[in-house]
Amino acid sequence: MRSIAQTFAFSLGIAATTIFLIMVAIFVSRYPVEEREFRACRVVAAVLDRATVIDGQNLTVRPTPALEELKADSPNLWYVVSVGDLVSEYGSEHRPQLPFAFPYRGPVGLSVFSTPDQNSTFCLAVAQRGALRLTTMVGEPQVRFGRLARSFLARSFSSILVVALAFAATVAIGSALAARFVSRGIERVARRALAIDPSAPQGLISLSEVPRELKPLVEALNRAFGEIDAYIRMQRRFLGNAAHQLRTPLTLLRAKVEDVPEPALKAELVRDIRRLTSLVSAMLDLARLQNHTIEKRPIDLAQITLDVLADFGPSALDAGIELALEQAEKGPLLVQGVDAAIRSALANLVGNALIHAHGARRIVATLGRDGISIDDDGAGLPDGVEHGLTEPFQTGNTAGDGAGLGLSIVREIMAAHGGELVISSTPGRGTSMSLRFPIAAAPTRSPQVDLQAG
């Protein structure tokens, strides 16, 4: 669909051009009588001039199509054409008494005169043909409007063109300014809408900031934002309440499981209760992150990474996987954030790599200027799976282990820190999960540090 500005300018241009042409037609058709007589005189003189042939001592007025048309339209037409003593006359029975004698000796030019009895007018045209002077007197001509218009346009083309260009320029500038005003109003609405946080769309677009024509659209947007905000609040409230209400029954259930006499059944029930407890804890963490703002302060990402890798050392040793830390630059790597939240996010990534990186022998945490990435050399993920892993209750583990909330919580943590979680994977070559922060600084490089699992 064409843009509003283009459509507006195009439509206004067509309308303005049509109006201009209508105005020109009305102007020509409503010419003052004197002007119309003068224009008719000019047209008839031109017709007779082209029809007149002077050959030696003969003067002939040829029956050209234009002259025959003029005769057919003018039943009382008369004219006298003379060159010196040579005279050709038509319609003498309609010719009144003239105030000039032949041959006419007046100056070259074109004029309209009244007859001596003041009952009619006639046209006098004198033109120079080399050494000869052609004189034409015409009365009672009826010239068609088309010929008058063509004559007017032909003689006034340059003036009309200048006026038309000025008119077109005025219309173009006016339409451009009007279209710009409309487009700027739309841009303001779009910028205001884009500034609203999708996860908490409480902001409304002020109606005073937009043109009157856009107010229905803005009112609809504000209503939609209000409904979305109410739905998100209700969803988060339900998530938090449900998780909170489930904790007490799970605690009681765990106590009752201790009394189960059969060891195999008891172990299976304990495992299931642990999974449910993990799911409830993750739901509570997600609800807290979504419903509360965080207070950020400078924290050392390098130290946090070292601590998290040390915590997972025993688990990595049991799984036969090597943990390693690679730091591009020496010294602390400061980011703005919450220590506990960043530790939780990083622990989620390392724990995911240990559990889900099938066939992995090595997991490397790489610190860089924009954050940290956790890379494994496992089997990787199927094509397209990584795009849905950050949605709640989505998991890439086909065995069904895990609640599917870990990466969703990591995403929320990074969003709260103004950063992002980036996942990339190549089947057969491993997976990389990165925490990217808006600000990260580290001054100097340092050699690789390896943490051997064990």
Side-chain angles (χ1 to χ4, degrees):
M1 181 180 290
R2 185 177 297 173
S3 70
I4 294 178
Q6 289 177 335
T7 303
F8 182 78
F10 182 73
S11 302
L12 189 58
I14 292 178
T17 302
T18 304
I19 292 172
F20 179 77
L21 294 177
I22 292 174
M23 290 174 61
V24 170
I26 293 174
F27 177 75
V28 173
S29 64
R30 293 184 175 276
Y31 238 31
V33 175
E34 296 81 4
E35 288 290 337
R36 293 190 66 181
E37 289 180 349
F38 187 78
R39 294 289 177 185
C41 176
R42 188 185 297 278
V43 171
V44 173
V47 170
L48 288 172
D49 184 77
R50 286 191 291 271
T52 301
V53 178
I54 303 172
D55 183 14
Q57 297 299 315
N58 297 318
L59 185 151
T60 306
V61 179
R62 297 180 293 107
T64 62
L67 181 57
E68 294 303 313
E69 177 186 291
L70 180 63
K71 290 178 179 179
D73 294 339
S74 310
N76 298 322
L77 177 71
W78 62 266
Y79 63 79
V80 179
V81 180
S82 65
V83 176
D85 296 330
L86 303 176
V87 178
S88 177
E89 186 174 357
Y90 172 81
S92 57
E93 66 274 15
H94 304 299
R95 179 170 62 84
Q97 182 181 358
L98 298 177
F100 303 110
F102 291 95
Y104 178 72
R105 305 293 183 184
V108 174
L110 186 145
S111 300
V112 176
F113 293 95
S114 297
T115 57
D117 58 9
Q118 302 295 316
N119 291 329
S120 62
T121 61
F122 69 94
C123 171
L124 171 63
V126 181
Q128 194 72 33
R129 281 195 179 184
L132 303 176
R133 179 171 291 187
L134 176 65
T135 302
T136 303
M137 297 185 187
V138 186
E140 302 296 334
Q142 301 296 323
V143 183
R144 294 182 181 181
F145 175 76
R147 285 191 173 275
L148 280 176
R150 286 196 297 272
S151 174
F152 170 76
L153 293 176
R155 292 184 173 274
S156 308
F157 178 76
S158 58
S159 300
I160 293 176
L161 181 61
V162 171
V163 174
L165 290 176
F167 187 75
T170 303
V171 170
I173 294 173
S175 62
L177 292 175
R180 181 57 181 162
F181 173 77
V182 174
S183 62
R184 288 183 66 181
I186 296 175
E187 288 172 2
R188 282 198 302 272
V189 173
R191 285 196 301 268
R192 187 67 182 86
L194 289 173
I196 296 176
D197 184 4
S199 62
Q202 302 97 340
L204 297 179
I205 303 174
S206 174
L207 294 179
S208 62
E209 299 178 4
V210 298
R212 182 181 306 165
E213 293 78 7
L214 296 178
K215 286 185 178 180
L217 172 62
V218 174
E219 289 174 349
L221 285 174
N222 286 340
R223 186 165 57 252
F225 285 141
E227 294 174 357
I228 292 171
D229 182 51
Y231 172 76
I232 290 175
R233 288 177 178 273
M234 180 182 67
Q235 184 185 51
R236 291 173 178 173
R237 188 164 54 249
F238 170 78
L239 181 63
N241 291 339
H244 183 74
Q245 294 297 326
L246 286 172
R247 297 189 73 174
T248 300
L250 285 174
T251 302
L252 296 175
L253 185 60
R254 177 65 183 270
K256 293 178 181 180
V257 167
E258 297 296 332
D259 297 332
V260 174
E262 187 176 343
L265 178 59
K266 179 179 179 180
E268 185 176 351
L269 290 174
V270 168
R271 184 170 60 252
D272 290 341
I273 292 173
R274 185 181 297 115
R275 288 183 58 197
L276 285 173
T277 303
S278 175
L279 172 59
V280 170
S281 297
M283 290 172 63
L284 281 173
D285 290 341
L286 184 59
R288 292 191 191 99
L289 281 171
Q290 291 177 335
N291 292 322
H292 298 87
T293 58
I294 62 173
E295 295 182 4
K296 294 181 286 187
R297 62 189 62 185
I299 57 175
D300 185 1
L301 189 58
Q303 185 60 48
I304 291 175
T305 305
L306 194 61
D307 293 344
V308 170
L309 292 180
D311 291 340
F312 279 94
S315 299
L317 179 62
D318 292 341
I321 298 177
E322 175 190 351
L323 292 180
L325 171 64
E326 292 183 357
Q327 187 171 352
E329 299 182 5
K330 187 178 180 180
L333 181 60
L334 299 179
V335 296
Q336 294 290 327
V338 178
D339 187 285
I342 299 302
R343 286 179 186 273
S344 175
L346 190 55
N348 249 308
L349 298 190
V350 177
N352 265 330
L354 288 172
I355 296 172
H356 301 302
H358 301 294
R361 306 305 303 168
R362 192 167 190 260
I363 297 174
V364 180
T366 304
L367 284 166
R369 185 168 290 275
D370 61 345
I372 181 171
S373 64
I374 305 297
D375 307 306
D376 67 68
D377 57 359
L381 299 171
D383 289 335
V385 171
E386 62 268 22
H387 299 297
L389 289 181
T390 57
E391 296 301 321
F393 305 105
Q394 297 293 321
T395 175
N397 186 6
T398 57
D401 295 333
L405 282 173
L407 294 181
S408 177
I409 293 174
V410 174
R411 183 190 64 179
E412 293 293 336
I413 290 174
M414 294 309 297
H417 285 75
E420 61 179 339
L421 167 64
V422 179
I423 303 175
S424 61
S425 182
T426 303
R429 300 185 62 181
T431 302
S432 175
M433 298 191 181
S434 304
L435 304 179
R436 294 184 179 172
F437 294 85
I439 299 176
T444 58
R445 298 180 61 85
S446 69
Q448 174 177 315
V449 179
D450 283 337
L451 292 178
Q452 300 296 333

